[in-house]
Structure formats: structure tokens, C-alpha cells
Amino acid sequence: MTMATRSFLTDRQAEELHKSIIAYLTSLNLATTANTLRAELNLPEETFDLAKAKQYEGLLEKKWTSVIRLQKKVLDLQAENAHLKNEIENAGPLALSRKNQDPANWLPKGPPRYTLEGHRLPITSVAFHPVFSSLASASEDNTIKIWDWELGELERTLKGHTKAVLDVDFGGPRGNTLLASCSSDMSIKLWDPADQYKNIRTLHGHDHIVSSVRFVPANGTAGAGGNLLVSASKDNTLKLWDVTTGYCVKTIEGHNDWPRAVAPSADGRWLLSTGSDKAARLWDIGGTEPECRVVMFGHENFNLCCEFAPSTSYPHLARLAGHEKVPPANSAAEFMATGSRDKQIRLWDRRGQCIKVLEGHDNWVRGLAFHPAGKFLISVADDRTMRCWDLSQDGKCVQTLSGMFDGFVSCVRWAPGVTKDGLAGGDAGDGTPKKISAEANGGLQMRCVIATGSVDGTEGKVRIFAN
């Protein structure tokens, strides 16, 4: 025992240990054992008497309990170290990268990747090119600016409108992407990205401000090969235009006041419009004549924006609506959303029933964008925030981005997905290959990119939020 002990301890430490053991045995009245140990260690009472032993009483117990406490502390520190290491790993760039590899759960985070400045007055609308990294922004300064959102650089400024430009949208026939814009000057203009964004056509026909313009997708019978464009105006009408000829092919009447916003369904058969009459209307344009199928009332002030829900959101919205079955994915107008000056967002089913009211904004709701994966709805408002609503949690607001907008947030757009070959139509406009690569899965690759437009002082700024 002595040899083993001395192999770990110095001579002085060993002597102290031996004396402590003898004192411990003596305190327990184990005199025979203590004397035996004295004899083996050559520590007779003459050298180590009872008075000296008293000085060592309790020392062994103290050392022993100290060891136990230290051992427990070591174990606690090891556990804490493992916990902190796990937190660091989960909060680090690698962990964020792993999380962001799942685009279905991606939400915008601050600060924005870029804040794009150049407009002299507020931004009214933003739109992504369906293939390339180009973004168009419209402004009350009568201009449109084209940006490279990947690089955060201004490419060009488009001039032609004589009053505020209120909306922009990319679309058109496959392989021939166009940019459409509408204005308070009562006109709609078509610009060709493949020809230096030349203004190739101006459409006249509305008798008042044109506030919204959208290309009608070519997927359905009404899409007419992607040649149709829909507009909404303060003259209380919607108009359908053939972009190849510039002719108005249909005028749709029904709103009692200004329809401020219009959105087409993914299959090109339906239109959703809403505005100052506080109503949202669902139009079927698949037949010979457009027909209003449903009118939705519920908002208490002017409505400012509307969107169709993607089919990926149907499982969540069907549960919210209390439907036993989830609608088929090829039915493009099952659920809709509207935003209003009453600070509310309302979710509707195709029967016109309000299935949920989302409350949280403190000012006018200006823009809506559904997450392509269907789980979230993004909204922006005059309360200078962007909010993310989780449709899988009964529409709970799970994120609020504030403190990064200096003024009213007027619009929001989610970048459209791109196909495997990237051929969603059009060119970059200057011959530069900027095509975004897509996954080799034969379907659309989601782009986790959001753009907002806002009023910052007297100027307008575009912000890019990207993975």
C-alpha cells in the first residue's frame, strides 16, 4: 500500500496522509488498527503522540469530502461545457447553414442583405425577374429602377411615365419575358428586358389612376399562352389586355369603388380583386365572359392588397377552415388573403367564408406574400414592420421584423422559383448571363429571397432579405 501511495505522492504528502489515517482510526477508538499501522509505518507514539494526532483529527474527512465536492463540480462543469458547446454549434454559421438548407422553414432575418437607395420618393411596388437576378422597383418619383439583387447594384433607370408609377410585374409568353408598369398617368407600359428595357408598347383605356397590374399565367385556358395582362383602376374597373397587340380584350365591372389591387391565380383562370369598397371579389375568367363568383365582406376600411394562397398551404388552411378534406393541389382558387387599412389580414375560402382574422399590425396592411412552401404568410404595413404568420399554428405571428425600416413599408414580394433549366422566359436585358441555378429535381427550386419597398423620410428604399 505504501509503495503504491508513494508512487503518486511526495514523501511529505504521504507522511501527512499516514498521520491523518492514524488520527482518524484513533478518533474511532480503533487503537489496535492504529497501532498496527504505526508499527508498519515506523511512527511510534514517541514520534507521533496523541497530542499531535489531535491536530490531524477531521483532516481525512475534510479532504475526502473536498474530493467528492470537486468531483461533482467537475461533472457539472463538463455538463455545462457540453451544453454551451451545443449552443455555440447551433448558433454558428455552420448550424445556420444547415437550418437554411431547409427552405420550407426559411424566414427573413435582419439585417437585410442590401438596402438599395436611389429613388427620390416612396417605393410603391417591387417585382422579381422570373429567371435572372434582376429586380424592378416602382416609385412615386415617376421612375422604375432595375437592380441586380444578388450584387446590390443599380443596373438602369426607366423613364417614361409622367406621374407616379404604382405597380410593376414581370411575365408574359414563355421565352419572351416582359416588364409591365402602371401609373397615375392612367397608362400601362410594357418594357422589353431583352432589348435594354425598351418601352415597346403603351396601353391606354382606363379613365383614371391605374393602381395594379399583373400578368395572367399561361397554365390555364384563360391564360392565352401568357399573353394576358390584368389591370385595376380608380375608374372602378378591371381590364384584360393582350400584350402582343396592346388591345383591351375585356373590361370587368362590379366594384362599387376603386379596386386598388388585383391578383391572378396560378392556373390563369381566376382573378382576385379588392379595394375601396371594402370587398374582395373572385372572378372566373375561364369562360367567354368574366363572371364574379364570390364577394367577400368583412373588412371595416379600404382594402389595399390581396393574394391567392398556393396549393402548398392547403393542408394548413383546410384545417383552419374546419374542412374534413384538403382540396386538390390542381384547384387554384381554394383560399385567399386580403389586407386592409383596418390593420387586419383576413383569410378566406372559395365560398367567401372568412376562416381567420390575423391581428397584430398597428397600422395599414400594405402587402402580402405567401411562403412558397405554404407554411407561412408574410405581411408588411405602415407600422414599419414585416410580420410572419405560421399557418400551421392557427395563424400565430411567429416573427416580427422591426427597427430596420425607417418608415411605412409599402410592398413585399417573394422571388419566384426557377425550373431545372431556368427557362422561365426572357433575357437579362444586357446579355449578361445571370441565370440562377436550380436543383436537378425536375421541379421548381425555391429561392429564399424577399424584397420590400418602403418610405424612408422623403425617399424610397428597397431592402433585400436573402438566405
Side-chain angles (χ1 to χ4, degrees):
M1 181 183 74
T2 303
M3 293 300 293
T5 300
R6 288 184 176 177
S7 65
F8 294 101
L9 304 175
T10 65
D11 290 345
R12 179 175 177 78
Q13 289 172 333
E15 183 181 353
E16 292 290 316
L17 175 60
H18 297 154
K19 289 179 178 179
S20 299
I21 294 173
I22 292 171
Y24 174 72
L25 294 172
T26 303
S27 69
L28 295 178
N29 295 319
L30 299 174
T32 303
T33 307
N35 291 331
T36 302
L37 185 57
R38 281 175 182 275
E40 289 187 359
L41 295 174
N42 195 23
L43 281 173
E45 287 193 14
E46 295 78 16
T47 305
F48 186 60
D49 59 17
L50 291 177
K52 291 182 179 178
K54 277 285 185 183
Q55 298 175 11
Y56 284 85
E57 267 189 26
L59 184 60
L60 187 64
E61 293 98 319
K62 290 178 182 177
K63 294 286 186 181
W64 180 255
T65 54
S66 295
V67 168
I68 293 175
R69 285 198 301 270
L70 287 172
Q71 186 178 24
K72 183 177 184 302
K73 191 169 184 179
V74 168
L75 292 174
D76 290 342
L77 288 172
Q78 287 177 337
E80 185 178 357
N81 181 58
H83 175 70
L84 292 174
K85 184 178 179 182
N86 183 61
E87 282 192 351
I88 291 171
E89 288 177 350
N90 287 334
L94 290 176
L96 291 175
S97 176
R98 288 195 297 270
K99 288 181 180 178
N100 288 334
Q101 287 175 2
D102 179 14
N105 290 308
W106 181 84
L107 289 175
K109 305 287 185 184
R113 177 186 289 186
Y114 296 115
T115 299
L116 308 178
E117 303 181 35
H119 281 293
R120 294 178 291 104
L121 290 174
I123 307 292
T124 56
S125 177
V126 290
F128 287 94
H129 192 287
V131 179
F132 304 107
S133 58
S134 297
L135 177 81
S137 60
S139 171
E140 292 180 10
D141 65 8
N142 305 356
T143 70
I144 303 163
K145 290 186 182 293
I146 308 298
W147 313 83
D148 185 324
W149 61 259
E150 278 198 318
L151 301 177
E153 297 176 352
L154 176 65
E155 293 184 347
R156 66 183 72 241
T157 299
L158 309 182
K159 298 181 179 180
H161 285 291
T162 57
K163 291 186 178 180
V165 186
L166 300 181
D167 201 9
V168 284
D169 192 41
F170 281 102
R174 181 179 176 85
N176 186 28
T177 297
L178 300 174
L179 173 67
S181 61
C182 63
S183 169
S184 293
D185 65 12
M186 300 187 291
S187 74
I188 299 166
K189 289 183 178 291
L190 299 177
W191 313 80
D192 187 359
D195 190 11
Q196 306 296 309
Y197 281 90
K198 178 182 178 181
N199 179 203
I200 59 171
R201 187 167 279 113
T202 300
L203 313 180
H204 294 285
H206 280 296
D207 298 326
H208 214 309
I209 292 170
V210 188
S211 54
S212 184
V213 64
R214 289 289 185 274
F215 283 95
V216 179
N219 301 345
T221 56
N227 296 332
L228 282 185
L229 182 77
V230 62
S231 59
S233 169
K234 199 175 179 180
D235 64 12
N236 297 0
T237 69
L238 308 176
K239 288 184 180 289
L240 287 169
W241 308 81
D242 186 332
V243 297
T244 58
T245 64
Y247 293 144
C248 175
V249 294
K250 296 289 180 185
T251 297
I252 304 173
E253 298 178 332
H255 279 280
N256 300 320
D257 207 336
W258 180 6
R260 294 171 177 265
V262 64
S265 63
D267 65 357
R269 177 179 172 179
W270 304 89
L271 298 177
L272 177 64
S273 60
T274 195
S276 296
D277 60 4
K278 307 176 188 177
R281 296 175 186 269
L282 180 63
W283 306 88
D284 184 350
I285 60 172
T288 305
E289 293 295 330
E291 184 176 352
C292 182
R293 296 291 190 185
V294 176
V295 182
M296 292 157 271
F297 290 102
H299 285 292
E300 298 176 358
N301 207 327
F302 297 166
N303 297 351
L304 302 178
C305 51
C306 59
E307 289 293 335
F308 281 102
S311 60
T312 49
S313 68
Y314 288 1
H316 310 302
L317 295 175
R319 186 178 55 81
L320 270 178
H323 296 173
E324 293 183 1
K325 294 183 179 180
V326 177
N330 61 1
S331 182
E334 292 293 337
F335 298 99
M336 297 145 278
T338 55
S340 171
R341 286 187 180 181
D342 65 9
K343 310 174 190 177
Q344 293 181 346
I345 301 163
R346 286 181 177 261
L347 302 176
W348 312 84
D349 65 16
R350 70 180 306 159
R351 298 173 298 180
Q353 298 296 314
C354 178
I355 62 173
K356 188 70 179 180
V357 179
L358 306 180
E359 296 180 299
H361 280 294
D362 297 324
N363 212 327
W364 299 354
V365 180
R366 291 282 192 174
L368 300 170
F370 278 95
H371 194 298
K375 186 178 178 181
F376 302 101
L377 174 64
I378 312 297
S379 62
V380 295
D382 282 357
D383 61 5
R384 306 182 183 187
T385 69
M386 179 195 299
R387 294 176 187 263
C388 305
W389 311 85
D390 190 338
L391 303 178
S392 70
Q393 298 186 54
D394 295 329
K396 177 183 177 182
C397 182
V398 293
Q399 179 175 290
T400 300
L401 294 187
S402 59
M404 61 192 69
F405 301 103
D406 299 327
F408 300 161
V409 192
S410 55
C411 53
V412 61
R413 280 282 187 102
W414 197 297
V418 290
T419 57
K420 175 183 174 181
D421 57 11
L423 297 178
D427 301 310
D430 57 5
T432 305
K434 300 177 184 175
K435 188 164 59 180
I436 311 281
S437 63
E439 295 174 347
N441 59 6
L444 286 179
Q445 177 192 7
M446 188 185 304
R447 291 193 284 187
C448 296
V449 185
I450 288 177
T452 63
S454 61
V455 184
D456 293 78
T458 58
E459 301 177 350
K461 294 181 182 179
V462 176
R463 288 174 172 82
I464 304 296
F465 299 85
N467 188 350

